[in-house]
Amino acid sequence: MEEQKEKLWNSNYCKVMIANFTLFFAFYLLTPLLPIYLNEHFHASKDMIGLVLSGYSVTAMLFRPFSGFMVDNFQRKKVLMVTFFLFFIFFAGYLIAGTLLLFAMVRTLHGGPFGAITVANSTVAIDVLPSSRRNEGIGYYGLGNNLGMAIAPSVGIFLYHLTGSFDIIFILALIIAAVGLGVDSTLHLKPRPINKSGRTISLDRFFLIKGWALAANMTCFGFCFGVLSNYLAIYGKEVMHITAGTGAWFMILAVGLIASRLQGAKALREGKLVQNAASGMLISLVGYTLFIAVPNDIGYYGSAILIGLGNGHLWPAYQNMTINLGTNEQRGTANSTILISWDIGMGLGCLIGGVVADWMGYSSAFWTMVAVNAIGVAGYFGYAMRHFQRNKLR
């Protein structure tokens, strides 16, 4: 019982929570509006929009393994500050990108520092948590993602409807990222003893081999969110004639995410990772199916709360499960592994979703999303769950 009294909300943990919120706020401020921006300003086709947007996830995916290696083998605050600065400065690139090609280059390259900073910041969060509160703390850490996801799209869409200016949105994202950079700069971390023998190059230093089954599942779940988050606004506008509902959808999604994070904290504290993951993916599957099977306001907004509840249980469980498959010296690698898999899924969702939508319409793209989600659920119950139970270290 004494271990449970260790302080969870220490100052460093609060700072990385705030920084996490700012980086996801800056990211999601743009996410639902970029398809509209590319269509209106550059007259990009649906498949071209998918290609441009998928580049961000692909680059993030490529940088994640090296990020895990860097935070495991070098001083983490230095890695954190360099990657956060690069994430911040790339927002200025959107303001000067005057052609579709230049915009695609900026967007694609921006994925690199995003992939790196999410690994570095989350690994620092694990470091500053007391070991007895780690499962719970990782669950709460994700609230920063969820709050950013809740507030940012609504703010972005509100500003777009109010001003009609994308430049204002790009500038706001730049400012918010600068705030996060400033907060992380005030962290006080103890210097870590660096084991230079750990810098030996091997596959397991970049990707946690034992986590491959969970990573394969997470790729499927990332695919689904990649399709939905990137094509929600344009689908609502062109097909469902819902012009002001995207912000509300993301707000409802975040209510579900936050509620499930808070409700699931006790289960995480008790180590019920397998159960949390199972319930989360099943709830999400129902939500994705509802979205496309019931094409009205009930299906549209009802899916948001269900997907939020599902992902809120799923994400912290999967992150903790992956970390529990590696040693303490592999925390960064474990974090990068689960994030890489999400990036791969998001990128494929953007790309394949755009191609399917262009060829066969949005309905087919969203049914593809449901099918991929079902494959991920089947893979978890068929193999990944037992693989984790056999190989976990704690």
Side-chain angles (χ1 to χ4, degrees), residues 360-375:
M360 294 181 283
Y362 286 110
S363 179
S364 296
F366 290 126
W367 276 118
T368 301
M369 168 189 75
V370 172
V372 171
N373 192 278
I375 291 170

Side-chain angles (χ1 to χ4, degrees), residues 20-42:
N20 189 47
F21 167 75
T22 62
L23 73 93
F24 276 92
F25 186 101
F27 174 73
Y28 278 104
L29 190 69
L30 308 183
T31 297
L33 290 170
L34 287 181
I36 297 172
Y37 178 72
L38 293 172
N39 178 258
E40 290 185 358
H41 282 253
F42 301 117

Side-chain angles (χ1 to χ4, degrees), residues 188-382:
H188 298 287
L189 305 180
K190 295 178 181 178
R192 295 171 57 246
I194 300 300
N195 178 14
K196 295 187 178 182
S197 64
R199 295 180 184 176
T200 303
I201 303 300
S202 66
L203 179 59
D204 206 41
R205 302 304 299 159
F206 297 95
F207 184 89
L208 192 67
I209 304 299
K210 288 195 295 185
W212 74 267
L214 295 176
N217 293 153
M218 189 56 84
T219 299
C220 293
F221 305 139
F223 179 97
C224 302
F225 200 73
V227 174
L228 193 55
S229 63
N230 280 284
Y231 298 106
L232 176 72
I234 201 164
Y235 171 76
K237 178 181 177 182
E238 293 186 1
V239 179
M240 297 190 69
H241 308 294
I242 299 175
T243 57
T246 306
W249 192 93
F250 276 99
M251 285 289 283
I252 295 169
L253 173 81
V255 168
L257 285 164
I258 294 166
S260 60
R261 295 268 187 176
L262 296 174
Q263 185 272 328
K266 183 175 183 292
L268 290 173
R269 190 163 58 244
E270 295 171 352
K272 297 179 180 178
L273 304 179
V274 170
Q275 298 90 327
N276 256 29
S279 62
M281 66 183 65
L282 290 172
I283 294 169
S284 294
L285 178 59
V286 174
Y288 285 117
T289 305
L290 180 67
F291 177 83
I292 189 59
V294 184
N296 56 33
D297 285 359
I298 293 174
Y300 186 83
Y301 294 112
S303 68
I305 191 70
L306 290 173
I307 294 169
L309 288 169
N311 279 353
H313 282 298
L314 175 70
W315 245 107
Y318 259 68
Q319 190 171 12
N320 274 299
M321 288 164 74
T322 308
I323 290 168
N324 288 349
L325 288 171
T327 65
N328 288 340
E329 289 72 35
Q330 293 177 307
R331 286 175 182 171
T333 304
N335 265 324
S336 70
T337 297
I338 205 65
L339 291 167
I340 288 165
S341 59
W342 180 262
D343 289 336
I344 292 172
M346 284 279 287
L348 290 173
C350 292
L351 182 60
I352 296 174
V355 171
V356 174
D358 201 40
W359 288 356
M360 294 181 283
Y362 286 110
S363 179
S364 296
F366 290 126
W367 276 118
T368 301
M369 168 189 75
V370 172
V372 171
N373 192 278
I375 291 170
V377 172
Y380 177 78
F381 287 105

Side-chain angles (χ1 to χ4, degrees), residues 117-130:
I117 186 59
T118 47
V119 172
N121 206 66
S122 59
T123 305
V124 169
I126 296 168
D127 284 347
V128 300
L129 283 166

